[in-house]
Amino acid sequence: MNQKINAAENGTAIIIVMSVLATLMVVVGVAFEYTMNVGRNVQRTNRLGSAIALADGCLEYNFAQWRDYCRKPGVPKPPTTAELSALSLPTATQFPDIPGFTATRNSYDPTSNVTVQECRVEAVDPQLQALPKGADPVATPDVGDGNVLTYNYRAYASVTLPSRGGNLVAKVQRIFQQRRESVFNYAIFYVDPLEIHPGAALNVTGWVHTNSDLYTGHNLLNFSQKATYSGDWAVGFDQGSTTPFRPADTSHIKETPTAPTGVAPTAESTTHQPSNIDPATFNASDPNNTGYHELIEPPVPSGSPDPFADARYYNQAGVIIEIDANNNITIERGNGDGTATILTKRSTGNDKLLFDMFNGAITTNAPILDNREAASVRLATLDVSRITLSQSNAVNKVGWKAGAAFNGTVYINDKSAAANGVGAKRGIRIANGTLIPAKGLTVASPNPVYIQGDFNTGLNPPSNSGDPSQPQAANYTRQPCSVVADAVNILSNAWNDANAGTKPTASPTTINSAIVSGNVTNGSGFVYSGGAENFPRFLENWSGQAITYYGSMVQLYQSQQSIGVWGKPNVYDAPTRKWFFDTNFKLNMPPGADVFNTYTYSKGRWSLVP
């Protein structure tokens, strides 16, 4: 049966269809617009991420440039903002994926098409406020450690990248920190692998650090403060390798190896660079840049800049003493620039006072048999009592002999070994050093040094009780002292040259001084270096006798003259070691100690700038 379609109903259907279509079109349009917005936002977000990544790359470049500038020879202090304007800007070759890359140090200009603006590093104060361009950076000292200083810098980079809807700008900043501290803040500081395997209980009362690998093997060792390493840590002996790191060889430990007690060693991500000189720049063909041993070597005339010019003890010594093959002694005043002025009895003014002060204080040609070196060593002796004011009681000395303007650093070099044939050995002895004037004394030498008898203790010190509060005699204040040499040997109060080579019996002895010295590296296979417990070397039978030591032990290089290996028979019997870190070094450094500032560079807080 046919039905008629009502016209009104037909019109209604058409309206409904059109409404649905319109709705669908709106939905599609909204979806399209949403998709386009999402796409644009994603693109802008990705572009913004690219801009931030590019800014971070510029900050990394700034960091490398800033650190390299701080390490340059002749830059003895943290640089100012004005000095850092000489840093190089990043170039297009470093960012090949950025079309038309350009960079400037200028302040941000939104109308500029320069890719990277404000690419700079500036000095800031401890509150991170910008300092005037020419102002010296302001240090933040560590609480309780006046010779640990942190200098802050802020690096900027503002990056502009084109994007849909207009340019995108990412402004990024990061704090850079230069931390300067003395190696004399440490009870034990090593550049090379550090082994500590005491045969008796040993309590290390100060910080310990190695820029390389740490090896410990006995719980008789106790770290009472922090112990850090920049390589790896193993319980056991080193196998004799230096690189790459290999697990410790425990077969040489009779008992089961155990970790030290006290504070557990921890890893550090950075190394501490003595004298702010990067070991990567050492060059065996450059006579002035062969390694940290240069600190105790005289400069060699060459056509290239001397990276150690500001650090050499030869350059900073107030008095230089040189001994030739015929035992002739030359006394010189250091000029501070690698040259020296010869002093004689005809000198005038302070030069005459310096000559009189040291003339007669040096005697030569005292051979002793050093069983570790398996050779006779000809000693020149510095009699410290001859350069200090004469005084007959235990009251602290008040000055240097003759009132000379002496900076407290003496450099002694017996240069005669080469002229006396292969195997000739030379050394410097420090004797009669119980009394040291205020402001201290540093003795530096490229030769091995032998410290004989109590040093920096005052007259009649306590009988080596090992009491940390009594390392010196009553009425005497121990002074900041250091001995810096190819190797450092300790001869007891009982030492007699005539008995050298026989392992004579030692007597209790106290040494109050930092020791900076070389050691003898492990050989291939297992050749033990003697470890930190044998860092100061011995030539006597110390069995049952105490060596009391207050100071800081620092290893920066391998010995070049005293190269006898540890472990030979008939050399010494181990002492009772009563060792303490001299906390006075936290605030009162030995003369010339700025040489041994170490530097670390780190990246601190990162943030986006509005």
Side-chain angles (χ1 to χ4, degrees):
M1 177 177 173
N2 295 329
Q3 295 182 346
K4 292 183 179 181
I5 298 174
N6 188 289
E9 292 177 352
N10 188 42
T12 300
I14 292 173
I15 291 173
I16 292 172
V17 170
M18 293 180 65
S19 297
V20 170
L21 290 173
T23 300
L24 291 172
M25 291 177 66
V26 170
V27 170
V28 170
V30 170
F32 180 76
E33 180 66 20
Y34 175 78
T35 302
M36 292 294 291
N37 285 336
V38 169
R40 283 194 293 269
N41 288 337
V42 168
Q43 184 189 52
R44 289 180 66 84
T45 299
N46 290 339
R47 200 65 170 160
L48 180 60
S50 297
I52 292 174
L54 175 56
D56 275 342
C58 292
L59 292 185
E60 289 294 322
Y61 183 74
N62 280 341
F63 179 78
Q65 289 281 303
W66 164 75
R67 182 180 57 192
D68 289 347
Y69 186 90
C70 291
R71 290 173 174 167
K72 285 173 57 177
V75 183
K77 64 179 182 64
T80 65
T81 298
E83 290 170 326
L84 294 174
S85 64
L87 299 185
S88 300
L89 289 165
T91 63
T93 57
Q94 295 168 301
F95 298 95
D97 297 333
I98 307 298
F101 178 91
T102 51
T104 181
R105 256 181 277 277
N106 298 335
S107 299
Y108 177 70
D109 179 359
T111 65
S112 173
N113 292 322
V114 175
T115 312
V116 180
Q117 302 178 58
E118 299 185 293
C119 188
R120 67 181 189 274
V121 181
E122 63 182 17
V124 295
D125 65 19
Q127 289 73 43
L128 305 184
Q129 300 299 311
L131 293 169
K133 289 186 176 181
D136 288 334
V138 179
T140 303
D142 279 14
V143 177
D145 291 325
N147 58 7
V148 179
L149 303 175
T150 300
Y151 296 89
N152 294 305
Y153 292 81
R154 180 165 45 217
Y156 284 105
S158 297
V159 172
T160 301
L161 293 180
S163 180
R164 291 184 182 181
N167 289 342
L168 278 174
V169 178
K171 296 184 178 182
V172 175
Q173 65 178 14
R174 189 157 202 169
I175 301 300
F176 298 161
Q177 291 184 318
Q178 181 196 64
R179 180 180 171 88
R180 190 192 75 183
E181 66 176 344
S182 173
V183 294
F184 295 147
N185 277 345
Y186 291 80
I188 302 173
F189 181 97
Y190 268 51
V191 164
D192 294 324
L194 168 59
E195 296 185 89
I196 313 180
H197 302 285
L202 179 62
N203 181 39
V204 183
T205 63
W207 297 349
V208 175
H209 177 76
T210 171
N211 279 347
S212 185
D213 303 320
L214 173 64
Y215 296 88
T216 61
H218 300 267
N219 63 6
L220 295 173
L221 172 66
N222 180 75
F223 292 133
S224 62
Q225 297 189 35
K226 71 174 183 178
T228 53
Y229 52 91
S230 298
D232 289 285
W233 171 36
V235 177
F237 284 93
D238 185 4
Q239 292 175 300
S241 62
T242 54
T243 56
F245 176 78
R246 295 189 295 178
D249 180 0
T250 61
S251 64
H252 307 283
I253 304 177
K254 295 180 181 180
E255 64 272 20
T256 302
T258 53
T261 60
V263 179
T266 57
E268 282 196 349
S269 59
T270 59
T271 59
H272 300 245
Q273 294 182 343
S275 298
N276 204 23
I277 295 177
D278 186 353
T281 66
F282 293 161
N283 183 354
S285 64
D286 184 344
N288 287 317
N289 193 26
T290 58
Y292 290 124
H293 202 275
E294 293 289 351
L295 291 167
I296 56 173
E297 295 287 346
V300 177
S302 67
S304 58
D306 181 2
F308 285 91
D310 297 317
R312 290 182 189 278
Y313 270 96
Y314 181 95
N315 291 6
Q316 63 171 318
V319 170
I320 298 168
I321 298 172
E322 296 186 310
I323 303 162
D324 68 15
N326 297 316
N327 286 307
N328 294 316
I329 300 170
T330 302
I331 302 173
E332 302 167 302
R333 168 176 50 82
N335 296 326
D337 59 359
T339 64
T341 299
I342 295 177
L343 307 180
T344 70
K345 61 183 179 181
R346 296 183 179 85
S347 297
T348 60
N350 190 63
D351 285 356
K352 179 65 163 59
L353 293 176
L354 285 174
F355 176 80
D356 291 341
M357 179 176 171
F358 282 89
N359 186 35
I362 298 289
T363 56
T364 63
N365 203 27
I368 66 168
L369 181 59
D370 185 325
N371 278 356
R372 174 162 173 165
E373 296 301 310
S376 175
V377 180
R378 192 185 80 175
L379 298 182
T381 300
L382 170 65
D383 185 341
V384 177
S385 68
R386 298 291 297 270
I387 64 175
T388 56
L389 289 173
S390 177
Q391 197 157 331
S392 60
N393 57 44
V395 178
N396 190 11
K397 299 280 183 169
V398 294
W400 297 109
K401 181 180 178 181
F406 173 51
N407 68 1
T409 299
V410 55
Y411 181 90
I412 311 177
N413 183 11
D414 188 331
K415 305 183 295 182
S416 65
N420 283 269
V422 177
K425 299 280 188 179
R426 300 293 181 262
I428 307 300
R429 170 164 40 196
I430 304 173
N432 300 320
T434 55
L435 294 167
I436 306 295
K439 298 185 180 180
L441 173 68
T442 289
V443 179
S445 177
N447 308 120
V449 165
Y450 298 72
I451 305 174
Q452 181 172 335
D454 292 331
F455 183 72
N456 189 24
T457 59
L459 301 177
N460 303 314
S463 58
N464 304 98
S465 64
D467 179 356
S469 66
Q470 296 294 325
Q472 68 276 320
N475 301 318
Y476 179 80
T477 301
R478 69 181 184 273
Q479 300 302 322
C481 290
S482 63
V483 176
V484 189
D486 183 71
V488 174
N489 302 263
I490 295 177
L491 307 176
S492 79
N493 286 307
W495 176 266
N496 186 316
D497 286 0
N499 297 327
T502 66
K503 199 168 69 172
T505 300
S507 63
T509 303
T510 298
I511 305 294
N512 295 327
S513 176
I515 292 175
V516 182
S517 172
N519 68 348
V520 179
T521 187
N522 290 348
S524 59
F526 178 77
V527 180
Y528 185 42
S529 69
E533 65 272 21
N534 289 294
F535 183 62
R537 304 180 189 185
F538 303 102
L539 294 172
E540 297 169 85
N541 178 4
W542 286 85
S543 180
Q545 305 296 325
I547 174 70
T548 303
Y549 174 77
Y550 285 78
S552 170
M553 298 181 185
V554 180
Q555 182 272 333
L556 298 183
Y557 39 79
Q558 297 300 305
S559 299
Q560 296 184 11
Q561 296 187 30
S562 283
I563 55 176
V565 297
W566 177 86
K568 293 178 180 177
N570 198 38
V571 175
Y572 80 105
D573 287 334
T576 299
R577 297 179 177 92
K578 298 180 178 180
W579 288 0
F580 303 92
F581 169 65
D582 190 344
T583 56
N584 290 337
F585 286 159
K586 291 286 187 178
L587 295 173
N588 197 12
M589 293 286 98
D594 281 348
V595 166
F596 295 115
N597 284 332
T598 68
Y599 295 78
T600 55
Y601 298 89
S602 60
K603 290 169 280 191
R605 189 174 65 191
W606 179 97
S607 61
L608 287 170
V609 180

